[in-house]
Amino acid sequence: MAKRLGFTYIFCNDLERMKWFYTKILHLNLIWDSKTSIAFKIGEHQLSIEFNENFNILSSKFSNQPGWEGGTEPRTGWSLECDKEDFIEIVNSAIMNEIPAYYNEPNWKGYWSFPILDPMNNTIEITCTAEDIPNNI
């Protein structure tokens, strides 16, 4: 029997800010937009973001993720694997919009790594395996 990860649900107390981040910074494809939730398709996976007025924003510390050996908080984080063009576009958008980042510029860890925080302080490691990306994008 084949298995795949279908949906991930996260929560926020500012849906418009999350919509801005996931569309304008990460450049994801918005497939659902209502007053209480938004959703994005990433490959075969769907990321759904639900509004909850009682949601408490996480601390601004980065999640501990063994791949890039950074962060200090033992909480969920994820990565977004990108091709070269998308990686450069996302990194530039994040830097230009002063999105909190673990590094000032991408770092090579056997792949390019650029961990950032979304508006609810979820850690998202932006990655790319193309070796020919300058680290001073």
Side-chain angles (χ1 to χ4, degrees):
M1 179 191 321
K3 295 175 180 60
R4 66 182 180 86
L5 187 60
F7 296 86
T8 298
Y9 300 93
I10 62 174
F11 297 87
C12 71
N13 61 15
D14 188 340
L15 197 59
E16 284 303 310
R17 184 88 174 128
M18 292 292 272
K19 181 178 173 182
W20 171 83
F21 178 85
Y22 282 85
T23 57
K24 302 300 184 187
I25 302 300
L26 297 185
H27 306 278
L28 296 180
N29 182 28
L30 182 68
I31 61 168
W32 174 259
D33 188 359
S34 76
K35 290 182 179 184
T36 59
S37 66
I38 55 178
F40 301 89
K41 195 74 167 174
I42 308 166
E44 294 296 315
H45 188 76
Q46 182 174 310
L47 173 65
S48 296
I49 303 172
E50 303 284 326
F51 174 77
N52 183 304
E53 65 184 26
N54 297 317
F55 178 82
N56 292 317
I57 295 176
L58 304 168
S59 79
S60 60
K61 296 179 180 178
F62 283 79
S63 299
N64 179 265
Q65 292 180 314
W68 54 277
E69 298 177 0
T72 58
E73 294 298 297
R75 64 176 189 233
T76 303
W78 56 89
S79 67
L80 181 64
E81 185 177 352
C82 303
D83 63 18
K84 180 179 177 178
E85 293 76 23
D86 286 338
F87 182 81
I88 291 170
E89 182 178 49
I90 292 169
V91 169
N92 284 333
S93 292
I95 291 171
M96 187 171 36
N97 287 281
E98 299 179 354
I99 301 300
Y102 194 78
Y103 307 120
N104 291 331
E105 59 190 26
N107 273 263
W108 182 255
K109 304 284 186 180
Y111 61 91
W112 287 105
S113 171
F114 192 68
I116 60 177
L117 296 176
D118 78 5
M120 298 299 117
N121 290 330
N122 292 299
T123 300
I124 306 162
E125 181 189 22
I126 311 305
T127 69
C128 183
T129 58
E131 294 184 33
D132 60 337
I133 296 176
N135 63 348
N136 60 347
I137 296 175

